[in-house]
Amino acid sequence: MEATIDFFKKIVENLNGFGFPFLVFFLGVLEFSFGLYKGKWPKNERWVDIACFTLPRLIVQPAVAYFGLKFLPFVLPGFKNTFTWVPFLWGFAIIAIADDLTQYWYHRLHHEIPWLWRFHRTHHSASYMGMAMASRQNAIYTLFFSQIYLTSALVYLGLGIPAIAVRIIKSTITTLAHSSIPWDKPFYKYKVLHPIAWVLERLISTPATHHAHHAATTDDGVGYYKGNFGNMFFLWDIIFDTALISRQYPKAYGISHYEGDQWYAQLLWPIFKSKVPGSELAADGPVVRLDIDKEELVKKEPEISYLQAAN
């Protein structure tokens, strides 16, 4: 067992730093190369995804880690490496639960409290799903994200290896849950795998459950952006009754009223505002804009065109 843990620690150390971001980048390029974005990656959305992928990893997270490790000795002068005695598996379990449960509530509150929604809106604006979506967040949302501070503090306290291991595994699960590759479908298709599927979809986020959270509509039995908030563990949605498991994929993704806000507004609102009239990110925009029923809009289009012509 000790040898296995040491081997796992070495893998963690090698993947830490730039290793994991480059791995995710490679998988994302591979995903896009096979056309799994289905031609829905226009220039503006590419800039949003690329900016959101690079800024946190190359600037925000390293800066927080650097200044955190400089600041912590002044706040907790006698606590450096205090918890090095904690066994790896115990440290891993405690950090995984504390970190992911905190993020569940952080994520959920950004959906349920109207004035917080605009900080999270960028993550839901794209009309496609893909690995790039995992890091598609407003920079302010990322800056107050507990994980980067928690990891820095735990490294200082002597739990760096378990903290980094949790970060890598969690990032892998959340990235694959956003992927356009439906890797969970075989578990639903083959009856012999159904018991595994039952456990898997209740334990961690899968493409089917997390894609439902990114659906353009809700309450249709498939889309459910009112729930399915889990990041690494879907178990929180089961416990707090916010889960919808349909084993199906939504027909459409994104925000029904999204009109392509500029990438810099999506990345740095409220520092930069959107130029799209009526957008939630515009200077005079609403806090939360009502959804548009696009099917009804299509039905009304001939009538709208006729009235416009008459005027």
Side-chain angles (χ1 to χ4, degrees):
M1 175 63 76
E2 196 67 34
T4 303
I5 292 174
D6 289 339
F7 176 73
F8 185 66
K9 285 180 179 178
K10 288 179 181 178
I11 294 175
V12 168
E13 289 169 352
N14 289 329
L15 278 175
N16 190 33
F18 290 102
F20 183 75
F22 276 115
L23 175 63
V24 172
F25 180 75
F26 172 75
L27 291 173
V29 169
L30 191 66
E31 179 185 54
F32 182 70
S33 299
F34 282 99
L36 294 171
Y37 279 63
K38 299 179 181 178
K40 296 179 179 178
W41 209 31
K43 185 177 180 180
N44 185 66
E45 305 312 312
R46 286 201 299 272
W47 276 111
V48 176
D49 290 341
I50 292 169
C52 290
F53 180 84
T54 56
L55 182 67
R57 286 170 172 80
L58 299 182
I59 299 176
V60 177
Q61 291 176 7
V64 169
Y66 177 79
F67 288 110
L69 292 174
K70 293 287 185 182
F71 178 70
L72 283 167
F74 293 100
V75 182
L76 304 169
F79 287 86
K80 186 174 182 179
N81 295 327
T82 302
F83 296 109
T84 51
W85 60 271
V86 176
F88 173 80
L89 292 179
W90 273 107
F92 180 90
I94 292 167
I95 295 164
I97 292 169
D99 173 84
D100 204 57
L101 180 58
T102 302
Q103 191 182 354
Y104 167 86
W105 282 104
Y106 184 70
H107 182 194
R108 180 173 173 176
L109 290 174
H110 278 76
H111 278 268
E112 295 184 346
I113 298 177
W115 69 270
L116 287 176
W117 161 244
R118 288 180 290 188
F119 291 102
H120 183 55
R121 179 182 182 274
T122 301
H123 188 60
H124 285 267
S125 60
S127 61
Y128 52 84
M129 287 296 288
M131 293 182 189
M133 290 294 295
S135 57
R136 182 182 169 119
Q137 297 282 9
N138 176 291
I140 309 299
Y141 182 94
T142 302
L143 187 62
F144 288 97
F145 187 50
S146 63
Q147 189 181 31
I148 53 177
Y149 300 97
L150 182 66
T151 301
S152 299
L154 292 170
V155 168
Y156 174 73
L157 294 171
L159 290 172
I161 297 298
I164 293 166
V166 169
R167 177 174 173 263
I168 291 170
I169 292 173
K170 179 174 181 174
S171 296
T172 301
I173 292 172
T174 55
T175 299
L176 292 176
H178 287 87
S179 174
S180 60
I181 302 170
W183 57 263
D184 55 340
K185 276 190 174 181
F187 292 98
Y188 314 140
K189 182 178 180 181
Y190 300 106
K191 193 171 182 179
V192 68
L193 297 177
H194 284 184
I196 299 175
W198 192 92
V199 174
L200 188 71
E201 64 193 358
R202 284 163 176 78
L203 179 62
I204 65 170
S205 290
T206 62
T209 54
H210 200 69
H211 280 221
H213 178 68
H214 283 263
T217 58
T218 195
D219 300 329
D220 61 354
V222 179
Y224 196 55
Y225 55 71
K226 295 177 181 178
N228 290 18
F229 301 114
N231 293 278
M232 176 165 61
F233 294 127
F234 191 75
L235 186 62
W236 309 129
D237 287 288
I238 301 295
I239 292 172
F240 297 113
D241 197 27
T242 55
L244 175 67
I245 300 174
S246 69
R247 298 186 176 181
Q248 300 179 60
Y249 284 75
K251 294 179 180 178
Y253 299 101
I255 301 171
S256 63
H257 50 265
Y258 177 65
E259 297 177 16
D261 299 285
Q262 295 78 23
W263 68 270
Y264 52 82
Q266 297 201 64
L267 178 67
L268 290 167
W269 184 93
I271 299 171
F272 296 109
K273 305 292 197 310
S274 173
K275 296 178 181 178
V276 177
S279 168
E280 291 154 322
L281 304 184
D284 57 349
V287 175
V288 178
R289 186 174 166 185
L290 295 176
D291 284 330
I292 296 172
D293 189 330
K294 290 191 174 182
E295 290 185 6
E296 288 298 316
L297 190 64
V298 169
K299 291 177 185 177
K300 292 178 181 178
E301 274 182 357
E303 179 184 345
I304 292 170
S305 298
Y306 173 80
L307 290 172
Q308 287 173 340
N311 291 330

